[in-house]
Amino acid sequence: MSDATEQFGFHTAVEVRWSDMDAFQHINHARMVTLLEEARIPWLFADGRPTVNLREGAVIADLHVRYRGQLRHEDSPLDVLMWVEQVRAVDFTIGYEVRPGGAPADATPSVVASTQIAAFDIGTQRLRRLTDPEREYLQRWRRD
């Protein structure tokens, strides 16, 4: 995982667990959604990130997952590329490309996904505006 690829997006490796597989020996859909969540944690919610406060309150407002190929346990660790597609007042959208570990960067991704995440104030049970530092950090990861 490294910020060095910022102009292209945030890369991270995510390990596939044996329990992520279904009866057909590929990663189950619900588990893929969990793996996407695990991928974004070191990028957005780690200590020292301007977006760290989102771990105190954020909700998934929308999720899309397209499968273009199978991913199996032996493809671990998965290579996940993430970037920001859109930043608005209270939410932002992340784009994802997931490839088998070791696949070339220009290989067709096995999974293409997006999540819209809204900042949420747990105390008031309302959406909250993104702070200026959060917005600036997210804007750095925009890929047009």
Side-chain angles (χ1 to χ4, degrees), residues 19-30:
S19 61
D20 294 334
M21 310 310 294
D22 64 16
F24 301 107
Q25 299 304 305
H26 57 249
I27 298 174
N28 174 279
H29 170 71

Side-chain angles (χ1 to χ4, degrees), residues 47-74:
D47 290 340
R49 302 276 189 211
T51 48
V52 69
N53 288 334
L54 290 172
R55 70 184 182 196
E56 303 299 324
V59 294
I60 301 297
D62 193 38
L63 167 71
H64 295 270
V65 182
R66 276 185 61 200
Y67 297 93
R68 295 181 169 173
Q70 293 187 48
L71 289 169
R72 300 174 182 272
H73 190 268
E74 58 264 21

Side-chain angles (χ1 to χ4, degrees), residues 95-114:
Y96 305 81
E97 291 180 350
V98 183
R99 292 175 176 80
D106 61 349
T108 300
S110 298
V111 174
V112 177
S114 67

Side-chain angles (χ1 to χ4, degrees), residues 121-126:
D121 183 312
I122 298 293
T124 64
Q125 290 293 296
R126 295 177 156 299

Side-chain angles (χ1 to χ4, degrees), residues 74-141:
E74 58 264 21
D75 295 321
S76 188
L78 302 178
D79 176 41
V80 183
L81 172 65
M82 297 168 286
W83 63 92
V84 172
E85 294 179 341
Q86 181 179 37
V87 179
R88 299 186 317 172
V90 299
D91 62 35
F92 58 99
T93 303
I94 299 172
Y96 305 81
E97 291 180 350
V98 183
R99 292 175 176 80
D106 61 349
T108 300
S110 298
V111 174
V112 177
S114 67
T115 53
Q116 180 186 10
I117 300 176
F120 193 75
D121 183 312
I122 298 293
T124 64
Q125 290 293 296
R126 295 177 156 299
L127 295 177
R128 69 162 177 84
R129 295 182 77 76
L130 293 167
T131 65
D132 288 341
E134 288 169 340
R135 291 178 58 75
E136 289 166 13
Y137 180 73
L138 293 167
Q139 288 289 0
R140 280 184 19 205
W141 296 95

